[in-house]
Amino acid sequence: MPKAPTDLAGELRVQVKDKKSYLGVIDRLNKASVEKHWEAYADIPWDDPEFTVDKNDPRWVLPPFDRLGETAWYRSQPPEIQAQIGLWRVATAMKIGLQFENLLKRGLLNYAYRLPNGRPEFRYVYHETTEECHHGMMFQEFVNRTGMPIRGMPRSLSFIAQAAPWIPLVSTEMFFVFVLGGEDPIDYVQRKSLKGGHIKHPLEETIMKIHIAEEARHISFARHYLKHRVPNMNPLRRRILGVATPVVLGVMARIMLSPPGPMVRHFNIPKDVVRAAYKNPASQAEISNSVGKIRDLMAELGVITPVNKRVWKAFGIWDEPGTRRPLESPEAA
């Protein structure tokens, strides 16, 4: 079973001061993709009895930091219903993840299509695309094994999202903000779950560790690409990026962290319970914290201005760079 990486923070501290430093980062990422990667159907023992997915397995019960899991309504449900709701949450996160990565792969290939010969980004982009293909396969295999009618993104949003793969043709910088907007919130939740010991099922743990290990490279590339490119953008494009970034992050973080509508309807979760669980200061803090690293990066690059800071605040994802909102329980909120 792969170990969760511990070196991402050090990788992100590398300062891309010049082109040579930037190319050195790509070279290290390319080397890492060759030396350490996983395949969905070779490295996960799907047919191991220990990896069987039983919807009533108590190991699927929501972890303490999930706001719904803290409500009196959820705690009053029979154990099998608590387990099914927890499994639905896990499967929905994987379904949304594979849908996002589908858009990401198409965008990466559109970006690579126009790269000149000899550009090292080409090789890295194909490494990342290959890894994302395996992520999609393992996510969908997990969803299939739940036997639940998991849909993923809301239909209307899924329709709008089809424009995402074309963003690189307009702005590669905006595309990699979109990449981080999808990857950072999930990475935040997965690392928090593993660190807190909340993942009990070996199949979920294996998938999560593989995903975290490879996403560390993907996040690192996107961050360094932005560090390399944004300082050289013309003022108008920087202003557009500054306004668009909090919009993308605000929408993406909520997609990744909010409760799926079909789950609410399937289990007849009362509206007041959903509001109490997810529309309170503690939940807003969780959403804000999930994009904290990107917000800090945008501040470091000088993209955040007094004007677009209002957009960050409007989407509920603003905190001063380098800070995180304290998390409270829903009862305290």
Side-chain angles (χ1 to χ4, degrees):
M1 182 181 295
K3 295 181 179 180
T6 59
D7 60 347
L8 177 61
E11 181 67 46
L12 296 182
R13 283 195 294 270
V14 174
Q15 297 297 311
V16 187
K17 297 179 179 178
D18 51 38
K19 187 174 182 180
K20 183 178 180 181
S21 300
Y22 170 66
L23 295 178
V25 169
I26 297 177
D27 184 60
R28 291 196 296 276
L29 293 174
N30 281 333
K31 187 172 184 289
S33 288
V34 171
E35 293 178 348
K36 194 170 185 179
H37 59 271
W38 292 268
E39 295 190 13
Y41 290 101
D43 297 307
I44 300 177
W46 295 101
D47 296 324
D48 186 323
E50 290 295 317
F51 280 51
T52 300
V53 177
D54 176 357
K55 66 181 182 179
N56 297 322
D57 190 327
R59 290 176 294 184
W60 299 122
V61 171
L62 289 172
F65 67 81
D66 188 292
R67 302 300 163 181
L68 180 61
E70 291 186 335
T71 63
W73 179 88
Y74 180 78
R75 294 195 298 266
S76 71
Q77 299 303 303
E80 62 272 16
I81 296 301
Q82 292 188 33
Q84 290 173 30
I85 291 174
L87 178 57
W88 194 300
R89 286 283 277 160
V90 173
T92 297
M94 291 195 188
K95 186 69 176 183
I96 291 175
L98 74 89
Q99 290 171 332
F100 166 76
E101 290 180 348
N102 181 291
L103 301 169
L104 169 62
K105 291 191 288 284
R106 285 185 275 159
L108 286 172
L109 293 176
N110 276 336
Y111 165 63
Y113 187 86
R114 299 193 299 171
L115 287 174
N117 296 338
R119 286 283 290 272
E121 293 97 336
F122 181 92
R123 174 181 163 187
Y124 173 76
V125 163
Y126 270 74
H127 278 310
E128 180 169 339
T129 303
T130 300
E131 290 162 5
E132 297 290 18
C133 284
H134 283 285
H135 296 175
M137 286 189 282
M138 68 183 184
F139 287 166
Q140 186 62 59
E141 185 66 28
F142 180 92
V143 171
N144 292 347
R145 288 171 183 249
T146 69
M148 292 176 160
I150 304 299
R151 282 175 46 186
M153 289 187 191
R155 191 169 302 167
S156 57
L157 185 60
S158 181
F159 177 77
I160 296 171
Q162 299 310 309
W166 303 103
I167 296 176
L169 304 183
V170 179
S171 170
T172 53
E173 296 84 7
M174 190 67 253
F175 175 70
F176 284 105
V177 167
F178 166 78
V179 169
L180 290 174
E183 292 181 339
D184 258 24
I186 288 295
D187 187 71
Y188 170 85
V189 171
Q190 291 183 336
R191 287 174 181 271
K192 185 175 180 178
S193 299
L194 283 176
K195 185 177 180 180
H198 303 307
I199 307 305
K200 307 299 184 183
H201 197 285
L203 177 56
E204 181 187 6
E205 182 182 18
T206 300
I207 290 174
M208 193 173 288
K209 285 185 174 180
I210 289 173
H211 190 247
I212 289 174
E214 295 189 327
E215 288 299 322
R217 295 194 288 262
H218 306 171
I219 291 171
S220 182
F221 176 78
R223 289 178 63 90
H224 284 103
Y225 184 87
L226 291 171
K227 287 183 179 181
H228 180 61
R229 295 273 300 199
V230 171
N232 298 316
M233 294 177 73
N234 69 52
L236 176 60
R237 290 173 66 87
R238 281 173 64 89
R239 285 197 295 271
I240 295 172
L241 182 70
V243 173
T245 294
V247 176
V248 170
L249 299 182
V251 172
M252 295 295 292
R254 282 172 171 77
I255 294 172
M256 300 297 179
L257 303 182
S258 295
M263 181 190 80
V264 172
R265 293 187 291 272
H266 183 84
F267 293 101
N268 295 314
I269 304 176
K271 291 182 180 180
D272 61 330
V273 171
V274 175
R275 282 195 299 269
Y278 296 105
K279 295 185 179 181
N280 58 66
S283 292
Q284 290 301 315
E286 191 82 344
I287 291 172
S288 178
N289 289 346
S290 75
V291 299
K293 290 181 180 179
I294 322 172
R295 185 176 57 241
D296 291 349
L297 176 62
M298 293 296 106
E300 176 189 334
L301 296 174
V303 174
I304 298 176
T305 68
V307 174
N308 65 47
K309 186 187 294 187
R310 298 175 186 174
V311 184
W312 289 85
K313 291 180 177 179
F315 277 89
I317 55 172
W318 175 253
D319 278 312
E320 291 300 323
T323 65
R324 300 288 184 270
R325 298 190 198 182
L327 298 180
E328 308 171 26
S329 68
E331 288 82 358

